[in-house]
């Protein structure tokens, strides 16, 4: 077992740097995001809705090949949260809001 500091013993500056994933995701609404599923498929699209289970609704969505080229284009897709490996939000939008 690794020795990690408890939440109470962390430096207050480090605690401020922590981010809430649901908060970041909700700030990403109406922005382009990249989603990789557990089976390896990737989608890029404009996030229009999310919930506490990280279910996503993307519009103008595209399925991407491993090299980033589009395979298929979809009008609107629903991605169930438990299939998601990771989400890459549009950080340029988030960084401006945090300043």
């Amino acid at each position: 077992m690794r020795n990690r500091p408890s939440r109470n013993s962390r430096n207050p500056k480090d605690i401020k740097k922590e981010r809430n994933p649901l908060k970041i995701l909700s700030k990403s609404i109406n922005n382009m995001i990249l989603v990789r599923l557990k089976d390896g498929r990737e989608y890029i699209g404009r996030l229009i809705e999310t919930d506490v289970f990280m279910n996503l609704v993307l519009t103008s969505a595209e399925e991407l090949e491993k090299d980033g080229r589009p395979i298929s284009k979809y009008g609107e897709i629903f991605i169930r949260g438990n299939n998601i490996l990771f989400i890459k939000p549009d950080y340029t939008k988030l960084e401006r809001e945090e300043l």
Side-chain angles (χ1 to χ4, degrees), residues 76-89:
E76 188 172 286
I77 62 171
F78 174 84
I79 300 175
R80 190 170 173 191
N82 68 340
N83 292 320
I84 296 172
L85 180 62
F86 71 79
I87 301 167
K88 183 178 180 207

Side-chain angles (χ1 to χ4, degrees), residues 56-89:
L56 309 175
V57 179
L58 302 180
T59 189
S60 303
E62 295 181 356
E63 185 176 354
L64 304 175
E65 292 210 33
K66 296 201 186 286
D67 64 2
R69 289 182 297 138
I71 297 173
S72 301
K73 293 184 179 188
Y74 304 100
E76 188 172 286
I77 62 171
F78 174 84
I79 300 175
R80 190 170 173 191
N82 68 340
N83 292 320
I84 296 172
L85 180 62
F86 71 79
I87 301 167
K88 183 178 180 207

Side-chain angles (χ1 to χ4, degrees), residues 10-93:
R10 290 183 185 170
N11 184 341
K13 291 180 183 178
D14 293 336
I15 292 172
K16 187 175 181 179
K17 291 179 185 177
E18 289 182 31
R19 296 205 167 110
N20 179 339
L22 291 175
K23 188 174 180 180
I24 291 173
L25 196 55
S26 67
K27 284 185 176 184
S28 296
I29 290 178
N30 294 320
N31 289 304
M32 298 298 285
I33 65 169
L34 171 75
V35 181
R36 180 176 292 166
L37 304 184
K38 291 177 184 176
D39 66 4
R41 288 184 284 175
E42 289 188 351
Y43 296 90
I44 191 165
R46 185 167 306 281
L47 179 65
I48 58 171
E49 195 170 337
T50 186
D51 63 15
V52 296
F53 302 107
M54 290 194 179
N55 295 320
L56 309 175
V57 179
L58 302 180
T59 189
S60 303
E62 295 181 356
E63 185 176 354
L64 304 175
E65 292 210 33
K66 296 201 186 286
D67 64 2
R69 289 182 297 138
I71 297 173
S72 301
K73 293 184 179 188
Y74 304 100
E76 188 172 286
I77 62 171
F78 174 84
I79 300 175
R80 190 170 173 191
N82 68 340
N83 292 320
I84 296 172
L85 180 62
F86 71 79
I87 301 167
K88 183 178 180 207
D90 183 357
Y91 283 108
T92 57
K93 171 77 171 156

